[in-house]
Amino acid sequence: MAAAELDNSSEEVIYLDWNNALDVLGKAHKAGLFVLIIGPKGTGKTTLVRKFASSMNKELYSVNFSLRTRESHLVGTRTIDKGQINFIEGVLVKSMKEGTMLYLDELNAAEADVLLRLDEALDDRRQLVLKEAEGQLVKASPDWFVIATINPLSHVGTKELPPQLLSRFPIRMRLDYPPEDLELEIVKRHVRLDDGKVRDVKHAIQLARSLRDAAAVEELYYSPSLRETIAFAKMLNAGLSGRHAAEVVYANAYDQWGQVEYQKVLDMITSIFGDK
């Protein structure tokens, strides 16, 4: 994803609302309260936000934060064209003026100077002084709505949110991996499965949950997401056996941490899927 973008896709967003998250978002929107979604990668945070924006028929602006995200991505920048100085508005300013929904993805990966500008816009006044545009004052549209996500601090590149910024998001939702039966239902919504492949997908979900549990207690370095379960099912449909699909989707990801890590995952695959 680019640093900032408008999500204006007409494609239907597939999301199984297994923990009533859409209802909470709807009530927060009605109350005018910004929302923070907390959870590991691959639990459907972005899909949830896209589904909510679609259900509300709201345009969605997105910012995916990293160490390379700059103030100019949010606020804007000056340009010179034929001797004329112009100001090109950033996604934050556009969203405030237009009253769109703004999605701040992986907010706790942003640099301190970027967070400071956000903090100014997100306080109760909902306004921003553009030092880059001769002190122009931008006031947010009354229906402006912001949702942010953060990953747990165990994720590389994340840091604690400053308390004052955390307070700008009084509604906090925790999104975790769904129970096994619901994970299977999510996969079925993305991949058409015949009955003969369901058993292997259940085994893959069992493997994924074991890997997530091991990562949670730092026995392994990586926690597979729902994306991997969906990819596993697609590889089954493409003709791979369950055992082979488990190796290419799950085990091979751990090879970068060395043979010991890789072998641990292979042993888990063997215990679930059997020998080749």
Side-chain angles (χ1 to χ4, degrees):
M1 182 185 292
E5 63 181 32
L6 170 63
D7 186 344
N8 199 25
S9 172
S10 59
E11 181 182 345
E12 181 185 1
V13 181
I14 301 173
Y15 183 78
L16 179 62
D17 189 21
W18 63 275
N19 59 354
N20 209 33
L22 289 170
D23 182 61
V24 175
L25 285 174
K27 288 179 168 56
H29 182 272
K30 185 177 181 179
L33 299 172
F34 295 159
V35 178
L36 182 67
I37 304 174
I38 306 160
K41 288 178 179 292
T43 50
K45 299 189 294 294
T46 297
T47 307
L48 167 62
V49 174
R50 292 182 61 225
K51 181 67 174 181
F52 179 66
S54 175
S55 69
M56 297 293 290
N57 198 28
K58 294 271 287 184
E59 281 194 324
L60 178 66
Y61 282 102
S62 300
V63 183
N64 182 251
F65 288 94
S66 71
L67 296 177
R68 293 176 294 185
T69 307
R70 298 289 177 258
E71 285 185 61
S72 59
H73 293 133
L74 297 178
V75 178
T77 186
R78 285 185 174 187
T79 63
I80 299 178
D81 182 24
K82 298 179 181 179
Q84 181 73 32
I85 298 177
N86 300 305
F87 180 72
I88 306 299
E89 295 177 345
V91 64
L92 173 63
V93 173
K94 288 180 180 179
S95 181
M96 292 174 72
K97 286 184 173 182
E98 297 172 14
T100 67
M101 196 174 297
L102 180 62
Y103 175 39
L104 306 174
D105 188 25
E106 300 188 20
L107 182 59
N108 58 341
E111 294 288 83
D113 60 333
V114 175
L115 294 179
L116 279 174
R117 295 308 294 275
L118 274 174
D119 184 59
E120 178 186 354
L122 295 170
D123 76 8
D124 293 339
R125 293 171 296 177
R126 310 274 169 90
Q127 64 183 35
L128 184 67
V129 177
L130 295 180
K131 60 186 180 184
E132 300 85 353
E134 301 176 343
Q136 176 186 344
L137 180 65
V138 176
K139 286 185 171 289
S141 171
D143 56 349
W144 186 49
F145 187 60
V146 182
I147 304 173
T149 65
I150 61 174
N151 293 318
L153 293 176
S154 57
H155 284 62
V156 175
T158 57
K159 54 186 93 58
E160 289 184 21
L161 283 183
Q164 72 273 15
L165 187 59
L166 183 62
S167 71
R168 308 301 187 210
F169 299 92
I171 308 304
R172 292 88 184 232
M173 298 170 54
R174 184 175 180 273
L175 201 63
D176 210 336
Y177 298 106
E180 292 187 24
D181 59 334
L182 288 174
E183 186 161 351
L184 177 60
E185 183 61 31
I186 290 170
V187 172
K188 287 181 176 180
R189 293 194 177 202
H190 287 84
V191 185
R192 188 182 300 276
L193 293 172
D194 59 46
D195 292 341
K197 293 183 175 66
V198 170
R199 180 172 176 269
D200 276 335
V201 174
K202 287 181 177 180
H203 283 162
I205 293 171
Q206 180 187 347
L207 172 63
R209 294 188 68 84
S210 297
L211 294 171
R212 293 165 191 162
D213 291 344
V217 294
E218 300 183 351
E219 290 181 0
L220 292 173
Y221 286 102
Y222 180 70
S223 177
S225 71
L226 294 173
R227 298 184 193 98
E228 273 112 330
T229 315
I230 294 169
F232 174 91
K234 289 181 177 180
M235 292 304 285
L236 285 183
N237 279 350
L240 284 189
S241 67
R243 166 78 194 213
H244 195 184
E247 289 181 11
V248 299
V249 172
Y250 297 102
N252 290 348
Y254 294 84
D255 195 38
Q256 62 181 314
W257 289 287
Q259 181 63 29
V260 173
E261 189 93 349
Y262 174 67
Q263 190 60 50
K264 284 182 184 177
V265 181
L266 276 184
D267 291 344
M268 294 169 71
I269 289 173
T270 298
S271 69
I272 294 173
F273 288 91
D275 295 323
K276 291 183 180 179

